[in-house]
C-alpha cells in the first residue's frame, strides 16, 4: 500500500474517468481525453496559479468542483487523505469492521472503535501508523469521527441519505428559503448522490435485515413511528450479495473503514462527473496549512504540505488561487479559519468564526433482547430504518447493525437528538492547536431524549440496556460524534450563500455552514446547501 502520491493521483483520475464513461473496455479503446489545465493526474505543482482551489473532497467540495467545472472553471482539489482504489495484500481495498488494520485509521497506533468492548472485553488493537481512511480526532470533551481520503466522509459513512422533514427545516437553517430547497436543491442533491430505497418486499425476507425487523417490532409495539431510511448503497447489489452471486461488502462487515463494493461514494457520483469534465484535478496526500491574501495583489497564496503515508511532510508547496473554497469538513474548515484569524493571516474574518458547532446530538446505546428475539448472525452493515420520536421526545434513532458474524441478541442504535448545546473552536497559542469547548456532560441532554424511546421499549419488552459494549459498564456511548456540524455558520460567519465576511473570493461550502443539527443524518442537507450556494456564486461571482 505504500505508493507515491503522484501515482495515487493519476490512478484516481483515470479510474474516475473510466467510471463515468461506463465501460472500461470502451474507454481503454478510445483512450483518455487530453485534460485541459491542469495536467491530468499530476499533483499540483509548486508555484501553480489556479482560478479555483477547493480544500477537501467531501460533499461540499465535490459539489463545488463539479459545478465550477461545468461552468468552465478549471479546479484544483486538495485532499489530505489518500486515494482509495488499490487492494492491499488481502485483495481488499478496505478492512472489515471486525478486523481493522493500518488502512482503518488516520495516523493512530491503536484502533479506536466506537463500540469499544464486546461481552465486556476491550477490542481495540495496535496498528501501524498510516494515513488510513477514518480519523478519530480527539478534543477535550469529544471524539469526532471523520473520513480521510478522496471522497471525504462518503468513504466511511453508512450512506444513510435522509432529507429532513420540511416542517423542521426552519429549525435547521433559518436563513435559507425552505421552499426553494425542497423544490430544487434537495431533489438535485438526491439525484446527484444516487439515493435509493430498499425494496420493502425483499426487506421482509432478507436474512441480513433480521436485526432491523426486530427493531421495527419493538418500536411499533411501543407505539413509535418506524420508517425506512433511504441510502446511497446500491440496493440491487445488496440483493445479489444476499443471494450469493457477487462479492460481499455490506454483508461482509465493511462500512466504517470503507466499502469495496456496493456503496455509491462521491468517487462514483459527483467526483466522477467532475473529473469527466476534464477541468478538475485532485491532489491526494496534500494538506492545506495556510490561505493568505496576496500582498498588494488579488487572490490568495495557499500553502500546502505534501504528506507521505506515515503522515510526514515530504514537500511544501505554495500556489496562488483567485478563489478558495473551504470544504475541509466542519472540523477541518473551522480549525483552519480559527487559526488563520487568530494568527493574523486572515484578521478581517468576523467574530462568528469557530462558533455554532454541534454534534447533531449523537448518542449510541444497545439493548439486550430475549433469546426468542435473535438479531441474526448475518447483518448488513447498511442501516435501513429508523425510529422517529422527534416531535414528542427530540430523538430520531437509527436501527444500527452489530456485524460480528455471531448471534449477539443485541439491538444497537445511533440516536440523533435535538440538543441545543453549541461549542466553539478557539486558538490555543500555548499548544499551537485549536481547542473545542465541548463538554462531555452536555451529552446528558441527548441521553435523556434517546431514553424517551428506549426506556419505553425496554419497559414494554421486559428488556434491559447492554452494559458490555462501551467499556466501564457504560450504557451510553456519549463520547463521540459522527456528525460534526458548524463552526463557520451561514449568514453569520459568511453571507447567506457561504461567502466569508471580510474577504472577497473566500467561501465556505461544507458542513461548517450548518449550525450544529440537521434533525437527521446530515450529508444530503450538506450537499443540497452546497448546490444552492454554488448556484448563487456562479451567477454572481464567476
Ligand atoms: P467531509 O466529507 O468530512 O470532507 C472533508 C474533506 O476535507 C476530507 O476528505 C478531509 O480529509 C479533507 N480535509 C480536511 N482538512 C484538510 C486540509 N487542511 N487540507 C486538505 N484536505 C483536508 O466534509 N452522514 C449521513 O448523512 N449519513 C450517514 O449514514 C452517515 N454515517 C456516518 C458514519 C461515519 C462513521 C462517519 C464518520 C460519518 C457519517 N456521516 C453520515 C456524516 C457524513 O459523512 C458527514 O456529515 C459528511 O461527510 C460531511 O461532509 P463535508 O463536505 O462537510
Amino acid at each position: 500500500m505504500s505508493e507515491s502520491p503522484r501515482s495515487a493521483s493519476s490512478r484516481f483520475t483515470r479510474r474516475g474517468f473510466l467510471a463515468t464513461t461506463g465501460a472500461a473496455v470502451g474507454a481503454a479503446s478510445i483512450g483518455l481525453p487530453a485534460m485541459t489545465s491542469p495536467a491530468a493526474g499530476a499533483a499540483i505543482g509548486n508555484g501553480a496559479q489556479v482560478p479555483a482551489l477547493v480544500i477537501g473532497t467531501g460533499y461540499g467540495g465535490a459539489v463545488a468542483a463539479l459545478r465550477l467545472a461545468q461552468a468552465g472553471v478549471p479546479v484544483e482539489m486538495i485532499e489530505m487523505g489518500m486515494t482509495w482504489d488499490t487492494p492491499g495484500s488481502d485483495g481488499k481495498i478496505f478492512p472489515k469492521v471486525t478486523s481493522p488494520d493500518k488502512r482503518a485509521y488516520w495516523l493512530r497506533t491503536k484502533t479506536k472503535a466506537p463500540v469499544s468492548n464486546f461481552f465486556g472485553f476491550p477490542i481495540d488493537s495496535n496498528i501501524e501508523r498510516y494515513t488510513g481512511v477514518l480519523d478519530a480526532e480527539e478534543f477535550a470533551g469529544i471524539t469526532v469521527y471523520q473520513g480521510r481520503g478522496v471522497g471525504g466522509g462518503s468513504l466511511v459513512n453508512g450512506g444513510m441519505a435522509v432529507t429532513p422533514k420540511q416542517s423542521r427545516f426552519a429549525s435547521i437553517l433559518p436563513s435559507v428559503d425552505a421552499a426553494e430547497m425542497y423544490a430544487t436543491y434537495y431533489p438535485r442533491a438526491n439525484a446527484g448522490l444516487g439515493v435509493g430505497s430498499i425494496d420493502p418486499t425483499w426487506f421482509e425476507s432478507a436474512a441480513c435485515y433480521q436485526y432491523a425487523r426486530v427493531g421495527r417490532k419493538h418500536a411499533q409495539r411501543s407505539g413509535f413511528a418506524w420508517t425506512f431510511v433511504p441510502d446511497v448503497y446500491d440496493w440491487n447489489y445488496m440483493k445479489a450479495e444476499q443471494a450469493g452471486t457477487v462479492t460481499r461488502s455490506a454483508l461482509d462487515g465493511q462500512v466504517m473503514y470503507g466499502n469495496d463494493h456496493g456503496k455509491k461514494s462521491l468517487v462514483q457520483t459527483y467526483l466522477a462527473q467532475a473529473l469527466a469534465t476534464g477541468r478538475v484535478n485532485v491532489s491526494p496526500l496534500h494538506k492545506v496549512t495556510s490561505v493568505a491574501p496576496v500582498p498588494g495583489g488579488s487572490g490568495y497564496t495557499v500553502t500546502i504540505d505534501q504528506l507521505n503515508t506515515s503522515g510526514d511532510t515530504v514537500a511544501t508547496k505554495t500556489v496562488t488561487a483567485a478563489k478558495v473554497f473551504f470544504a475541509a469538513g466542519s472540523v477541518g474548515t473551522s480549525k483552519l479559519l480559527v487559526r488563520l484569524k487568530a494568527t493574523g493571516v486572515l484578521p478581517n474574518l468576523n467574530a462568528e468564526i469557530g462558533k455554532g458547532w454541534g454534534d447533531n446530538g449523537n448518542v449510541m446505546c444497545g439493548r439486550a433482547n430475549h433469546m426468542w428475539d435473535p438479531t441474526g448472525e448475518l447483518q448488513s452493515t447498511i442501516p435501513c430504518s429508523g425510529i422517529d420520536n422527534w416531535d414528542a421526545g427530540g430523538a430520531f434513532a437509527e436501527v444500527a447493525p452489530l456485524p460480528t458474524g455471531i448471534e449477539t441478541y443485541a439491538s444497537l442504535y445511533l440516536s440523533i437528538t435535538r440538543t441545543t448545546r453549541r461549542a466553539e473552536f478557539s486558538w490555543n497559542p500555548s499548544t499551537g492547536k485549536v481547542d473545542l469547548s465541548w463538554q462531555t456532560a452536555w451529552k446528558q441532554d441527548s441521553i435523556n431524549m434517546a431514553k424517551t424511546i428506549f426506556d419505553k421499549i425496554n419497559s414494554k419488552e421486559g428488556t434491559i440496556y447492554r452494559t458490555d459494549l462501551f467499556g466501564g459498564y457504560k450504557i451510553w456511548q456519549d463520547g463521540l460524534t459522527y456528525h460534526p456540524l458548524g463552526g463557520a455558520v451561514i449568514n453569520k460567519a459568511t453571507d447567506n450563500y457561504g461567502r466569508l465576511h471580510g474577504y472577497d473570493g473566500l467561501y465556505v461550502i461544507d458542513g461548517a455552514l450548518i449550525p450544529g443539527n440537521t434533525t437527521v443524518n446530515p450529508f444530503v442537507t450538506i450537499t443540497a446547501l452546497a448546490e444552492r450556494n454554488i448556484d448563487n456564486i456562479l451567477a454572481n461571482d464567476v
Side-chain angles (χ1 to χ4, degrees), residues 466-491:
R466 295 278 292 231
T467 54
D468 63 323
L469 300 175
F470 309 118
Y473 302 101
K474 276 167 75 88
I475 288 176
W476 300 94
Q477 169 46 290
D478 58 357
L480 64 75
T481 184
Y482 295 148
H483 299 164
L485 292 165
V489 169
I490 192 166
N491 216 28

Side-chain angles (χ1 to χ4, degrees), residues 13 26-27 132-133 185 225 236 250 255 352 416 427 515:
T13 303
V133 72
Y185 297 110
N236 286 327
V255 64
E352 293 291 335
I416 294 164
W427 176 242

Side-chain angles (χ1 to χ4, degrees), residues 371-384:
M371 298 293 272
W372 57 83
D373 264 341
T375 46
E377 291 174 12
L378 176 68
Q379 299 198 4
S380 169
T381 57
I382 301 298
C384 71

Side-chain angles (χ1 to χ4, degrees), residues 15 29 33 42 54 63 69 140 199 253 287 320-322 329 360 366 373 380 383 396 437 443 453-454 461 542:
R15 286 278 180 115
S29 62
V54 176
V63 170
D199 171 352
K287 181 177 180 178
T320 309
N360 212 22
D373 264 341
S380 169
F396 175 87
S437 66
K443 286 276 194 185
I453 297 176
F454 302 112
E461 301 297 327
V542 176

Side-chain angles (χ1 to χ4, degrees), residues 248-512:
R248 286 180 166 181
S249 182
L251 271 55
D252 192 29
Q254 284 191 323
V255 64
M256 194 174 58
Y257 310 130
N259 283 91
D260 276 34
H261 307 283
K263 192 164 81 188
K264 286 171 273 177
S265 78
L266 290 165
V267 176
Q268 282 84 32
T269 58
Y270 274 95
L271 291 172
Q273 275 197 54
L275 289 171
T277 64
R279 294 195 186 92
V280 176
N281 189 53
V282 182
S283 298
L285 287 172
H286 280 58
K287 181 177 180 178
V288 171
T289 59
S290 179
V291 178
V294 172
S298 65
Y300 295 89
T301 304
V302 182
T303 312
I304 305 168
D305 283 347
Q306 184 175 352
L307 310 178
N308 63 19
T309 55
S310 303
D312 310 314
T313 299
V314 293
T316 297
K317 302 176 179 179
T318 307
V319 307
T320 309
K323 296 190 187 309
V324 177
F325 291 82
F326 288 81
S330 158
V331 175
T333 291
S334 303
K335 282 197 312 186
L336 269 173
L337 292 175
V338 163
R339 178 167 55 78
L340 295 175
K341 176 174 164 58
T343 55
V345 180
L346 294 175
N348 300 338
L349 293 174
N350 76 11
E352 293 291 335
I353 293 295
K355 293 186 178 165
W357 187 87
D359 68 338
N360 212 22
N362 282 188
V363 68
M364 279 165 80
C365 67
R367 291 180 39 255
N369 292 309
H370 294 296
M371 298 293 272
W372 57 83
D373 264 341
T375 46
E377 291 174 12
L378 176 68
Q379 299 198 4
S380 169
T381 57
I382 301 298
C384 71
S385 63
I387 304 166
D388 189 351
N389 194 38
W390 192 265
D391 290 331
F396 175 87
E398 289 171 15
V399 181
L402 198 57
T404 58
I406 58 169
E407 179 55 56
T408 64
Y409 300 96
S411 286
L412 189 69
Y413 306 90
L414 172 69
S415 297
I416 294 164
T417 62
R418 192 170 49 208
T419 169
T420 53
R421 302 288 186 174
R422 297 292 178 264
E424 183 175 347
F425 291 96
S426 61
W427 176 242
N428 184 336
S430 60
T431 59
K433 288 190 171 155
V434 174
D435 294 335
L436 179 63
S437 66
W438 186 266
Q439 309 288 312
T440 309
W442 292 355
K443 286 276 194 185
Q444 191 59 46
D445 297 0
S446 296
I447 292 171
N448 293 344
M449 290 181 228
K451 278 162 70 80
T452 66
I453 297 176
F454 302 112
D455 278 1
K456 190 166 177 192
I457 291 179
N458 275 339
S459 150
K460 175 80 184 171
E461 301 297 327
T463 51
I464 55 169
Y465 288 104
R466 295 278 292 231
T467 54
D468 63 323
L469 300 175
F470 309 118
Y473 302 101
K474 276 167 75 88
I475 288 176
W476 300 94
Q477 169 46 290
D478 58 357
L480 64 75
T481 184
Y482 295 148
H483 299 164
L485 292 165
V489 169
I490 192 166
N491 216 28
K492 292 188 169 175
T494 74
D495 79 351
N496 205 20
Y497 294 92
R499 295 177 185 89
L500 272 160
H501 288 305
Y503 294 93
D504 282 346
L506 293 189
Y507 306 87
V508 175
I509 193 149
D510 59 13

Side-chain angles (χ1 to χ4, degrees), residues 75-129:
V75 180
E76 283 285 351
M77 302 186 83
I78 310 298
E79 169 56 53
M80 67 193 269
M82 300 178 22
T83 300
W84 291 94
D85 62 358
T86 307
S89 54
D90 60 355
K92 304 272 187 196
I93 296 172
F94 297 111
K96 294 187 200 193
V97 170
T98 47
S99 49
D101 56 31
K102 68 175 186 178
R103 294 169 292 185
Y105 282 92
W106 179 257
L107 302 179
R108 292 187 83 88
T109 51
K110 189 170 187 185
T111 64
K112 193 169 173 65
V115 176
S116 59
N117 291 62
F118 196 52
F119 295 119
F121 293 101
I123 56 174
D124 280 315
S125 56
N126 294 331
I127 49 170
E128 191 184 319
R129 186 180 150 91

